[in-house]
Amino acid sequence: MKEIKIESKLYEYESLNELPDEVKSLMMDAFEARDKAYAPYSNFFVGAAILLDNGEIITGNNQENAAFPSGLCAERTAIYYAGSKYPNAKILKLAISAASQNQKTTSPIPPCGACRQAIAEYEVKQKTPIEIYFMGVQGKVLKSNSIATLLPFIFDKSSL
Ligand code: THU
């Protein structure tokens, strides 16, 4: 038996203002999307903004439903819209911002497991990594250079 160690490297920015201009602007698109989320059940508002290699920006937010499992996270709303509208475009960057109504969200909120799996699908499909930036409403921003950092041991089509 031998031990297998998996290491993940993330990058931390002190605030929105420390981000490169293009990413800051993408994050502000995520803020705008977040404010339009439909989250009457959780009161947890999430926005996502995607920059494609054709220059287009696609945004999405969480859409909830009285039948709870029928709702969808912001990241998947955005990524599936991007995939449906521009099936041949590559996703370069994904910015995510989350806000709770119960507390000031000042620490980075990572994408849920199901969204990580969805992001992984597109990274495998396009064969290039997706930069992922995530934060609350203010405070630190975390950056991952690829979904592999957030989802080591991914399950993908190579196993099928
Ligand atoms: N949510 C997202 O939109 N993205 C995530 O990665 C985590 C959770 C949404 C789903 C639900 O509408 C609310 O946040 C509370 O879980």
Side-chain angles (χ1 to χ4, degrees):
M1 195 273 278
K2 67 171 185 189
E3 187 179 273
I4 300 171
K5 207 185 244 167
I6 300 176
E7 268 190 357
S8 279
K9 208 185 269 182
L10 286 132
Y11 301 87
E12 186 182 87
Y13 294 84
E14 274 311 306
S15 74
L16 184 68
N17 291 327
E18 209 188 296
L19 293 171
D21 286 349
E22 185 187 49
V23 181
K24 183 178 172 185
S25 163
L26 193 67
M27 188 59 86
M28 285 165 75
D29 290 335
F31 282 12
E32 212 179 302
R34 188 194 72 209
D35 291 341
K36 294 183 196 145
Y38 176 59
Y41 303 104
S42 71
N43 288 315
F44 190 71
F45 300 82
V46 187
I50 288 171
L51 174 66
L52 297 173
D53 68 349
N54 61 9
E56 294 287 337
I57 289 170
I58 299 288
T59 61
N61 48 35
N62 50 328
Q63 295 293 316
E64 297 187 349
N65 193 286
F68 293 177
S70 301
L72 195 64
C73 291
E75 296 89 330
R76 275 175 291 161
T77 302
I79 212 164
Y80 291 150
Y81 181 41
S84 61
K85 193 159 190 213
Y86 299 106
N88 300 316
K90 289 187 176 186
I91 297 168
L92 300 179
K93 298 177 201 298
L94 165 64
I96 307 159
S97 169
S100 167
Q101 216 174 53
N102 306 321
Q103 54 177 312
K104 188 134 199 149
T105 312
T106 53
S107 56
I109 307 295
C112 80
C115 288
R116 293 181 203 197
Q117 184 65 31
I119 297 163
E121 181 70 26
Y122 288 83
E123 225 182 72
V124 171
K125 174 182 173 239
Q126 69 186 36
K127 300 191 184 79
T128 52
I130 299 171
E131 285 179 14
I132 306 163
Y133 297 81
F134 50 97
M135 68 180 296
V137 283
Q138 62 183 61
K140 292 187 165 124
V141 184
L142 282 181
K143 175 197 181 193
S144 141
N145 278 334
S146 158
I147 193 63
T149 307
L150 299 178
L151 188 67
F153 261 125
I154 66 168
F155 172 76
D156 65 23
K157 63 182 180 182
S158 65
S159 305
L160 300 178

